[in-house]
Amino acid sequence: MNQIEYFGFNSIRNLKTILDNNDYKNIFLVTGENSYQSSGAEKALNRLLGRYNVSRFYGFSENPKIEDVLEGISHFRKKEHDLIITIGGGSVIDMAKLVNTLSHQIKNPIRYI
């Protein structure tokens, strides 16, 4: 997957353009457990993502452990995801990058780590 990053206030507005200009069906959404709702992102994304099949992954440690990464990879591999959307801070972004990179490897992810 190609990676594009948007940061800052109202950067979520870029998502509508991305979704409108592509043919995504299955979206893997990586978020913080509580910040996703408290930040208002959940409400905004529910409107944008209503027509997509979204798999949300959250509930991992603030500093993700290997078990968290393996769980994320397992969830990711259950479907052919077209897009990963990450809403959150450093640990959430790290988790999404790890899942994206390691889920496409042939060998056991631990060998790459």
Side-chain angles (χ1 to χ4, degrees), residues 3 7 12 21 42 53 56 65 69 75 86 100:
Q3 181 173 317
F7 293 94
I12 199 167
N21 292 328
E42 181 179 38
N53 184 359
R56 182 176 169 217
K65 297 174 177 31
V69 175
H75 285 294
T86 307
N100 185 35

Side-chain angles (χ1 to χ4, degrees), residues 19-99:
L19 293 171
D20 288 345
N21 292 328
N22 294 280
D23 189 29
Y24 299 124
K25 293 184 179 32
N26 296 312
I27 297 173
F28 193 71
L29 177 63
V30 183
T31 73
E33 188 165 4
N34 298 313
S35 62
Y36 179 61
Q37 182 180 13
S38 64
S39 69
E42 181 179 38
K43 185 176 180 181
L45 284 180
N46 281 345
R47 287 187 295 250
L48 285 173
L49 301 179
R51 66 180 191 207
Y52 300 94
N53 184 359
V54 177
S55 302
R56 182 176 169 217
F57 180 61
Y58 64 97
F60 43 86
S61 304
E62 186 173 315
N63 294 307
K65 297 174 177 31
I66 187 64
E67 296 82 15
D68 297 326
V69 175
L70 295 175
E71 183 180 348
I73 291 168
S74 175
H75 285 294
F76 184 84
R77 287 180 171 170
K78 288 180 182 177
K79 294 183 184 154
E80 287 194 35
H81 291 95
D82 307 306
L83 177 67
I84 297 176
I85 298 173
T86 307
I87 305 289
S91 294
V92 175
I93 294 169
D94 290 344
M95 177 60 77
K97 288 179 178 181
L98 286 164
V99 169

